[in-house]
Amino acid sequence: MAKRAVNFGAGPSALPDSVLQEATQGLLDFQGTGIGIAEISHRSKEFTAFVANLESLIRTQLDVPPTHQILFTQGGGTGQFSAVVLNMLARHRLLHPNLTDDERVMDYIITGSWSKKAAAEARRLGGGKVNVAAQSTHSIPSHESFKFSPDPALIYYCENETVDGVQFSHDPSSPASFPFHLLPQDTLLPIVADYSSSFMSRKIPRLADHAVIFAGAQKNIGPAGLTIVIVRQDCLVDVDAAAKLGAVPVPISMSFQTLADSDSLYNTPSTLPIYIAGLVLERSRELGGVQYFEELNRKKADKVYSVLKEGEQKGVFRGKVKEGHGSWMNITFDVLGDGAEAKFLTGAEAKGMKALKGHRSVGGIRASLYNAITEEQTDGLVTYMREFIAANTQ
């Protein structure tokens, strides 16, 4: 096999070589059936057992409590921008049938491009009004700035902003942490979190307090086409009953209750992405699970942020995010000087490092350090950045 590039892309992102090699065998013969994974019936006993094992791998490694169900669906994180609104509004309608749409509130915390898009979708769908509970650019909002509604249908945040490189800290003492302490402590909270670009990279703080956690697979887990949703049992509601009370009808394939009742097999799922995700998470388990990757990802991020700071001091680089608020997964920065960014990218490509160009909406550089990026590959990027600093310092 020809030497593979180091893929620092934000998604679809790098996958472990060993997993890809194993998956090629499964394309021809899935678990000795003589039928490839892309061909086999999703109702077969072999595939249904594989889905059950995938759920177990997630539940065990993330310590998902029995109060929450793990669902597999399609549509990516963007599909969940719609699904969570419709399902959580249906739940709220059943709890509070007499409220008008203007009295029904959804709280959104805006920290970057994806949470902004999620809020825009909530406004588009209607059924309730959007309250921006906190908002900031290039940082997590200060705890003092949060203004939560008294009884919202949902409280939405994006744990890691892939485009902008901003991430909530998982250290509760950090000013960049999610302010759970500002919320009521004696009730089931309607917290919804987009974990698409950090899922399985480290532990999820107060997972049990979340109503819904979702993640597109194409960052740390597998190929595009699979979405993982962790839903608390009280959010599996009768959406048709809610619609009779005036809630926006929920498409059947977006209903959390439908997915749960059918063990995520209501319709044909993304069999190949599910298969590769299972292989990735088996490998994760063998390496030590989320704890292993948390330690590894901390080291990788520290190394890149350290050389970024060196570049800032020399006037070569400029970070885009407030210190202490930066993502472990997506590190964003600018290369200063006319033509310097193109020069940086060309030099990286020559060394086999690809997909470092920032998102088209913000430009600059973005190094995505997902689980499949090794410490050795990260060290290669750090070495190149240090060489670039030396070559471009007067």
Side-chain angles (χ1 to χ4, degrees), residues 216-287:
Q218 67 275 14
K219 313 293 185 178
N220 282 310
I221 313 161
L226 168 65
T227 309
I228 297 163
V229 190
I230 302 174
V231 184
R232 200 173 58 217
Q233 299 285 358
D234 64 283
C235 299
L236 303 173
V237 300
D238 186 337
V239 296
D240 292 336
K244 290 176 182 177
L245 295 173
V248 178
V250 182
I252 194 69
S253 63
M254 283 188 167
S255 164
F256 293 155
Q257 181 71 71
T258 298
L259 291 169
D261 287 347
S262 61
D263 294 325
S264 300
L265 298 173
Y266 178 78
N267 63 326
T268 308
S270 302
T271 54
L272 179 59
I274 284 174
Y275 176 58
I276 295 179
L279 299 182
V280 167
L281 293 180
E282 282 285 4
R283 174 179 178 270
S284 172
R285 180 185 60 79
E286 291 167 4
L287 289 170

Side-chain angles (χ1 to χ4, degrees), residues 6-64:
V6 182
N7 177 13
F8 287 106
S13 55
L15 288 166
D17 287 355
S18 61
V19 165
L20 293 174
Q21 289 165 356
E22 187 176 355
T24 61
Q25 302 304 310
L27 280 169
L28 295 170
D29 182 359
F30 172 61
Q31 296 190 342
T33 60
I35 302 174
I37 182 60
E39 308 163 291
I40 200 163
S41 168
H42 63 292
R43 307 288 183 193
S44 66
K45 67 179 187 298
E46 292 86 359
F47 185 77
T48 55
F50 192 91
V51 172
N53 185 60
L54 175 57
E55 177 185 346
S56 176
L57 288 166
I58 295 170
R59 188 174 295 279
T60 302
Q61 293 182 52
L62 279 181
D63 295 325
V64 179

Side-chain angles (χ1 to χ4, degrees), residues 1 3 17 22-23 33 40 48 50 88 106 118 122 124 136 244 257 265 267 288 299 302 316 340 349 357 363 388:
M1 186 174 68
K3 185 176 184 200
D17 287 355
E22 187 176 355
T33 60
I40 200 163
T48 55
F50 192 91
M88 295 303 285
M106 297 173 281
R124 191 186 73 83
S136 64
K244 290 176 182 177
Q257 181 71 71
L265 298 173
N267 63 326
K299 287 197 289 186
D302 284 348
V316 177
E349 288 251 358
K357 187 173 179 60
F388 189 88

Side-chain angles (χ1 to χ4, degrees), residues 15 41-42 45 56 81 104 108 126 138 198 267 295 300 319 331 362 391:
L15 288 166
S41 168
H42 63 292
K45 67 179 187 298
S56 176
F81 293 171
R104 210 175 299 281
Y108 277 77
H138 309 308
S198 58
N267 63 326
E295 182 180 344
K300 292 185 321 191
I331 299 177
V362 295

Side-chain angles (χ1 to χ4, degrees), residues 85-105:
V85 168
L86 297 176
N87 281 272
M88 295 303 285
L89 281 177
R91 173 183 181 269
H92 204 255
R93 179 76 61 164
L94 292 169
L95 292 172
H96 307 286
N98 296 322
L99 292 180
T100 66
D101 286 356
D102 284 339
E103 294 170 323
R104 210 175 299 281
V105 181

